[in-house]
């Protein structure tokens, strides 16, 4: 039994960017030859066999090997890197500001500066990844970040702290897109971010022990934390360089840490490459680098811009929560070591909740309502925490903090939704960099929500968090409605076409991507 080719549906955001009026049909079909040539001349992948026949069992075996050999390495990289990032909040709870002679307002300034630099690096990082190759760019960035983490041990004052504060995540998104179909990516992204939450939990447990080394070798406890994490990151970066395959073709060869036996047979490599192309025709051009046309189309695509806004607004409360969670828990009359250990349960719960929500979203092929559910959870959590009086018991306060911190993060769902509604590899590469940048740029204003004069209950700050979470809830519903209207509009356009126009639209479908009237958006 041969595998059935899935219904062709290129990816992309809102068709608003096409500039169509309600009764217009011809502009969609009147693209210049120059615009179409980019998609019309894909680089030939010798492992893509257009008439290849394979059974669902064979495809399942390939997917199992990808999950067994490829994903664990990816998950290890994000686990290690997120431990580095989380340890900043753990260090703050160990009196890092006081040791360096400043208050949390300086921490906020450093967080804002880091957010701007990180967001700028994300777009450039995604584009460079297409030039250097994700399998090489990921370990390079990891090694660099490991050195930055180690440099924290040398911080001696406020200037050093601000200066101490690039971008693996968009590179990873580009990389995984070459191996997984759109119906598989959201769940893998849930694993990706779920592992990050587990890393935050482990980081808290590590911190509860390492921070007790204060005074050993003349170092503060938080310096021991950065020292250990930096060494781990550098070692893992070297291992990743030797392990990750460049593409599917390299999975059928042996060498390096990947082992003496190829991951895939030649036939399995052909299946792995072909099935991804059948799912998304634009990936025939996966090896092409980004062009200015891709950047222009991405920045004028209102669907992508909608996802960027959802990210920036919905993730804003993460900045005060992730930066000060150990400190907030410590304010409930817990010791430093206990407070850091108590950050583990909410991070574990958040990872589990997020994976369950995203898996269900994949199963029923629905995005908007699932995202609104996650945003609504966060909204109710902030309301719960904000409503507690200062005299409330520490058990009740900790429960409220757990409810807030364990909300099923909508970030991987939002990325998957944007990715499957984006029409070309080049455009998707730019969008991946932008959305990761958007998921960090909010730190410029999010870092100012918790202020020194609002501590320790942060009543004003939590009221601001309620506002951001409420707007995010509405944005998820609005984005879904936009896609529904776009699908209805496309259906009306197709219904009004004569046979010649319809044939022309089919011929140009892959080149037009989400601008094609034949395109159907996931809602």
């Amino acid at each position: 039994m041969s595998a059935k080719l899935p219904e062709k549906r290129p990816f992309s955001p809102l068709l608003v960017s096409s500039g169509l009026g309600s009764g217009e049909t011809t502009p969609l079909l009147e693209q210049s030859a120059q615009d179409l040539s980019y998609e019309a001349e894909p680089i030939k992948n010798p492992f893509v066999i257009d008439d290849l026949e394979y059974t669902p069992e064979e495809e399942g075996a390939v997917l199992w090997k990808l999950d067994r050999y490829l994903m664990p390495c990816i998950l290890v990289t994000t686990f290690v890197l997120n431990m580095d990032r989380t340890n900043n909040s753990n260090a703050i709870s160990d009196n890092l500001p006081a040791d360096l002679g400043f208050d949390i307002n300086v921490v906020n300034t450093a967080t804002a500066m880091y957010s701007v630099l990180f967001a700028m690096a994300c777009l450039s990082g995604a584009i460079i990844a297409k030039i250097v190759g994700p399998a090489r760019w990921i370990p390079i960035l990891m090694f660099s970040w490991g050195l930055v983490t180690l440099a924290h041990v040398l911080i001696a004052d406020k200037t050093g702290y601000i200066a101490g504060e690039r971008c693996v995540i968009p590179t990873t998104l580009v990389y995984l897109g070459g191996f997984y179909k759109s119906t598989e990516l959201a769940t893998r992204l849930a694993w990706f971010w779920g592992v990050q939450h587990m890393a935050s939990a482990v980081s808290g447990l590590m911190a509860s022990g390492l921070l007790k080394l204060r005074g050993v070798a003349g170092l503060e406890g938080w310096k021991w934390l950065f020292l250990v994490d930096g060494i781990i990151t550098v070692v893992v970066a070297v291992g990743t360089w030797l392990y990750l395959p460049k593409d599917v073709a390299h999975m059928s060869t042996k060498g390096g840490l990947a082992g003496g036996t190829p991951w895939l047979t030649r036939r399995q490599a052909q299946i792995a490459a072909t099935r991804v192309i059948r799912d998304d025709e634009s990936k025939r051009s996966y090896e092409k680098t980004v062009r200015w046309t891709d950047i222009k189309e991405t920045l004028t695509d209102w669907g992508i811009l909608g996802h960027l806004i959802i990210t920036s607004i919905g993730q804003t409360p993460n900045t005060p929560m992730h930066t000060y969670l150990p400190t907030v828990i410590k304010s409930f009359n817990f010791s430093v070591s206990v407070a850091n250990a108590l950050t583990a349960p909410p991070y574990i719960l958040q990872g589990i909740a997020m994976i369950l929500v995203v898996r269900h979203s994949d199963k029923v092929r629905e995005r908007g309502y699932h995202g609104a559910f996650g945003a609504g959870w966060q909204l109710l959590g902030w309301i719960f925490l904000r409503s507690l009086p200062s005299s409330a018991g520490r058990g009740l306060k900790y429960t409220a903090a757990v409810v807030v911190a364990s909300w099923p993060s909508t970030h991987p769902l939002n990325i998957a939704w944007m990715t499957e509604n984006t029409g070309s590899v080049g455009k998707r590469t730019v969008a991946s960099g932008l959305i990761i940048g958007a998921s960090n740029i909010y730190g410029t204003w999010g870092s100012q929500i918790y202020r020194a004069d609002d501590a320790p209950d942060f009543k004003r700050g939590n009221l601001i968090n309620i506002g951001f979470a409420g707007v995010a809830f509405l944005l998820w519903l609005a984005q879904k409605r936009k896609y529904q209207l776009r699908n209805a509009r496309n259906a009306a356009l197709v219904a009004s076409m004569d046979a010649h126009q319809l044939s022309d639209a089919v011929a140009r479908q892959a080149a037009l991507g989400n601008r094609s009237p034949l395109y159907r958006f996931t809602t």
Side-chain angles (χ1 to χ4, degrees):
M1 177 181 178
S2 62
K4 181 180 179 181
L5 271 69
E7 180 181 355
K8 180 68 188 76
R9 189 188 67 77
F11 302 15
S12 186
L14 292 176
L15 201 62
V16 172
S17 60
S18 65
L20 283 174
S22 59
E24 295 175 300
T25 58
T26 56
L28 282 169
L29 307 176
E30 295 175 353
Q31 304 297 320
S32 69
Q34 181 179 1
D35 288 338
L36 298 180
S37 64
Y38 174 68
E39 299 292 346
E41 299 176 1
I43 296 176
K44 178 64 176 176
N45 184 340
F47 282 84
V48 176
I49 312 298
D50 291 330
D51 58 352
L52 182 68
E53 295 185 355
Y54 52 88
T55 65
E57 290 76 17
E58 286 182 296
E59 183 178 11
V62 169
L63 181 60
W64 180 80
K65 285 193 174 183
L66 291 175
D67 289 340
R68 178 183 177 185
Y69 295 113
L70 181 67
M71 277 305 299
C73 181
I74 295 297
L75 297 181
V76 167
T77 62
T78 192
F79 182 93
V80 171
L81 288 172
N82 203 64
M83 282 182 59
D84 291 345
R85 297 182 66 184
T86 303
N87 276 335
N88 186 52
S89 62
N90 298 328
I92 293 170
S93 72
D94 188 43
N95 297 318
L96 179 149
D99 288 341
L100 299 179
F102 53 81
D103 59 22
I104 68 171
N105 291 339
V106 173
V107 175
N108 294 340
T109 300
T111 302
M113 292 175 62
Y114 165 81
S115 298
V116 173
L117 294 174
F118 193 95
M120 293 172 60
C122 281
L123 177 57
S124 63
I127 295 175
I128 294 173
K130 294 297 293 180
I131 301 173
V132 179
R136 286 291 174 260
W137 195 231
I138 290 174
I140 289 174
L141 291 179
M142 280 194 69
F143 189 85
S144 301
W145 188 251
L147 295 181
V148 170
T149 302
L150 286 172
H152 280 65
V153 179
L154 303 177
I155 294 175
D157 52 28
K158 177 175 70 175
T159 303
Y161 178 74
I162 294 178
E165 285 292 333
R166 235 174 115 139
C167 194
V168 173
I169 296 178
T171 304
T172 303
L173 299 182
V174 172
Y175 184 63
L176 291 179
F179 300 97
Y180 289 102
K181 294 159 60 173
S182 60
T183 53
E184 302 160 351
L185 190 57
T187 296
R188 273 71 190 176
L189 292 181
W191 296 353
F192 184 80
W193 266 277
V195 163
Q196 289 191 11
H197 295 305
M198 297 305 168
S200 297
V202 172
S203 179
L205 295 175
M206 280 183 56
S208 67
L210 289 173
L211 294 179
K212 294 179 180 179
L213 294 178
R214 174 176 284 267
V216 176
L219 298 178
E220 294 86 348
W222 53 269
K223 287 190 176 182
W224 277 105
L225 197 59
F226 287 125
L227 178 63
V228 172
D229 272 343
I231 293 173
I232 293 174
T233 303
V234 169
V235 171
V236 173
V238 174
T240 302
W241 176 281
L242 299 173
Y243 184 85
L244 280 184
K246 176 184 177 182
D247 49 31
V248 168
H250 287 74
M251 288 184 173
S252 62
T253 61
K254 58 184 179 180
L257 292 183
T261 303
W263 294 355
L264 304 175
T265 65
R266 182 171 181 80
R267 174 171 172 77
Q268 287 178 324
Q270 292 172 342
I271 295 173
T274 302
R275 73 188 199 98
V276 172
I277 298 302
R278 289 180 179 176
D279 175 68
D280 180 5
E281 191 71 19
S282 69
K283 290 182 180 179
R284 286 186 184 274
S285 302
Y286 205 77
E287 295 298 323
K288 285 201 171 187
T289 56
V290 174
R291 295 171 32 151
W292 282 112
T293 301
D294 300 312
I295 298 176
K296 177 183 177 182
E297 290 186 1
T298 302
L299 295 177
T300 57
D301 192 313
W302 288 101
I304 291 177
L305 296 180
H307 289 291
L308 300 181
I309 294 173
I310 288 176
T311 294
S312 294
I313 298 298
Q315 299 294 317
T316 289
N318 280 351
T319 297
M321 179 174 66
H322 289 163
T323 304
Y324 295 111
L325 182 59
T327 302
V328 168
I329 294 177
K330 188 177 72 170
S331 74
F332 302 159
N333 293 319
F334 290 105
S335 66
V336 173
S337 60
V338 172
N340 279 280
L342 286 177
T343 62
Y347 282 128
I348 292 173
L349 290 174
Q350 183 178 45
I352 294 173
M354 180 185 62
I355 291 174
L356 291 176
V357 170
V358 173
R359 286 190 64 181
H360 188 265
S361 174
D362 261 353
K363 182 178 180 180
V364 301
R365 299 298 294 158
E366 196 284 329
R367 305 304 191 197
Y369 292 143
H370 285 77
F373 172 79
W377 180 325
Q378 184 190 40
L379 173 62
L380 294 177
W382 285 118
I383 293 175
F384 180 20
L385 185 61
R386 173 65 175 76
S387 65
L388 294 179
S390 299
S391 59
R394 68 180 187 177
L396 185 58
K397 288 183 176 180
Y398 177 68
T399 299
V402 170
V403 172
V404 173
S406 64
W407 74 287
S409 175
T410 56
H411 191 42
L413 185 64
N414 190 32
I415 291 177
W417 197 14
M418 181 196 72
T419 299
E420 64 193 351
N421 283 338
T422 306
S424 72
V425 172
K427 193 172 179 180
R428 190 173 303 130
T429 299
V430 177
S432 295
L434 286 175
I435 199 165
I436 301 303
S439 71
N440 287 274
I441 193 63
Y442 65 77
T444 57
W445 56 84
S447 61
Q448 306 305 312
I449 293 178
Y450 279 4
R451 305 289 294 177
D453 62 353
D454 194 29
D457 293 330
F458 299 110
K459 292 290 187 179
R460 181 183 66 232
N462 288 337
L463 188 61
I464 295 173
N465 288 331
I466 289 173
F468 276 102
V471 172
F473 176 80
L474 297 176
L475 286 174
W476 276 95
L477 298 178
Q479 187 80 345
K480 180 179 179 69
R481 183 57 179 162
K482 283 190 230 177
Y483 280 144
Q484 288 174 329
L485 292 174
R486 190 52 50 192
N487 284 338
R489 187 176 181 178
N490 281 354
L493 287 172
V494 172
S496 68
M497 291 180 180
D498 57 30
H500 174 72
Q501 290 175 320
L502 183 59
S503 176
D504 195 15
V506 170
R508 302 189 180 193
Q509 183 179 2
L512 292 174
N514 68 316
R515 294 173 294 162
S516 168
L518 301 177
Y519 191 87
R520 183 168 181 81
F521 299 95
T522 300
T523 62

